[in-house]
Amino acid sequence: MKLVSWNVNGLRACVNKGFIDYFAQTDADIFCVQETKLQAGQIELGIDPSYKQYWNYAEKKGYSGTAVFTRLAPLSVRYGLEEDAEPEGRVITLEFADFYLVNVYTPNARRDLCRLDYRLEWEERFRRYVLELDARKPVVVCGDLNVAHQEIDLKNAKGNRGNSGFTAEEREKMTLLLESGFLDTFRHLYPDRADAYTWWSNMPKVRERNVGWRIDYFLISSRLSPRLQAAGIDAAVLGSDHCPVVLELSQAAE
């Protein structure tokens, strides 16, 4: 089973930069996107009609938003955390027979850290939510988690310490989530692989020089680890300031 996650930083713009070609090429069973930046009726995707589409739009126009395209029919779909609604469109949960899929776009603390307190409170609610799911069946979490967890996960760790996405508080929340029973699939398979990033700033030559951050993840419940076959980063794929990340899981034993 193949899953893909991509922060497209505006799906309408990304469609004009090769999204559909990449979507068809990957032939994923489940394809998740973050930061769609659109409202209902603003796009007609030319993708294989065998994919069911689930969208969570932000109330604010041109902001945030998530979507999931899946060939596997879910048993249930939920939007948001506590309620089946959420103003910034950040979470979609699909329940399948043997796991939950949570597609998430984690709030950014912002450059001046004005949203750090909200971010940390949101992280606590998110962790409680996925642990509630995990108590029922295993969970796959994917998306833009807006944090470089370890120093190996960004190019200039020393210079960015304390900056948004690399504060001690945000990194501690990620550690707590992992210690609650989840695996960072890429780092589990490649504990020492440096220069593996998923986001680059739009400043000149930054992406060409691979001065990036790894802030897009696939996390899985630890008990899914026997099914983990591959975790990758499609860093050569353009179209957004993020690149797609990929997860492959074996089918559950009968």
Side-chain angles (χ1 to χ4, degrees):
M1 179 171 55
K2 185 175 186 180
L3 302 91
V4 174
S5 175
W6 192 4
N7 179 325
V8 293
N9 191 18
L11 185 55
R12 286 172 292 181
C14 195
V15 162
N16 293 326
K17 299 174 184 177
F19 176 85
I20 298 299
D21 289 341
Y22 177 75
F23 186 96
Q25 168 200 325
T26 59
D27 194 33
D29 298 292
I30 303 172
F31 198 114
C32 300
V33 296
Q34 304 88 42
E35 234 181 330
T36 55
K37 293 186 175 181
L38 49 76
Q39 311 302 123
Q42 288 191 319
I43 196 169
E44 189 69 38
L45 276 181
I47 63 172
D48 186 331
S50 67
Y51 286 93
K52 297 170 179 63
Q53 301 184 23
Y54 301 94
W55 300 80
N56 195 1
Y57 306 104
E59 292 176 1
K60 180 180 176 181
K61 292 183 179 179
Y63 178 73
S64 189
T66 48
V68 179
F69 313 114
T70 173
R71 282 185 172 136
L72 310 175
L75 302 177
S76 67
V77 181
R78 180 172 175 173
Y79 302 91
L81 297 178
E82 291 87 351
E83 302 84 24
D84 196 24
E86 188 239 333
E88 295 188 353
R90 293 187 177 275
V91 180
I92 305 178
T93 303
L94 274 62
E95 178 186 5
F96 297 100
D98 55 335
F99 69 98
Y100 287 100
L101 172 77
V102 180
N103 178 26
V104 59
Y105 176 41
T106 300
N108 191 305
R110 295 189 180 160
R111 183 180 295 271
D112 63 358
L113 302 183
C114 67
R115 223 181 183 202
L116 180 60
D117 287 345
Y118 171 75
R119 158 73 181 262
L120 298 177
E121 181 270 335
W122 191 94
E123 291 269 17
E124 278 301 306
R125 288 192 289 126
F126 182 75
R127 188 175 70 90
R128 287 198 300 269
Y129 175 65
V130 295
L131 286 177
E132 288 170 5
L133 296 178
D134 189 58
R136 299 175 213 156
K137 62 179 74 172
V139 180
V140 175
V141 175
C142 71
D144 176 0
L145 302 189
N146 259 319
V147 62
H149 183 221
Q150 303 174 27
E151 291 192 357
I152 196 174
D153 294 318
L154 72 169
K155 189 69 170 183
N156 182 11
K158 184 177 180 181
N160 281 293
R161 194 169 290 120
N163 288 344
S164 175
F166 200 59
T167 63
E169 296 91 339
E170 291 166 304
R171 295 171 67 196
E172 286 166 5
K173 291 297 185 186
M174 180 67 159
T175 297
L176 184 59
L177 178 59
L178 295 175
E179 289 178 346
S180 299
F182 291 89
L183 291 179
D184 172 352
T185 57
F186 182 84
R187 196 53 73 199
H188 179 71
L189 293 177
Y190 309 106
D192 302 317
R193 182 171 294 180
D195 300 321
Y197 308 126
T198 66
W199 174 81
W200 302 262
S201 86
N202 287 319
M203 294 178 65
K205 304 295 183 181
V206 165
R207 190 156 184 174
E208 289 87 336
R209 293 186 289 116
N210 197 28
V211 180
W213 298 47
R214 190 175 73 93
I215 60 175
D216 302 86
Y217 297 83
F218 269 104
L219 311 181
I220 60 173
S221 297
S222 297
R223 63 190 186 279
L224 283 177
S225 60
R227 295 177 56 186
L228 176 58
Q229 294 187 312
I233 297 173
D234 280 349
V237 175
L238 305 178
S240 169
D241 53 350
H242 296 248
C243 73
V245 292
V246 183
L247 175 69
E248 292 185 26
L249 297 174
S250 63
Q251 296 297 328
E254 293 296 335

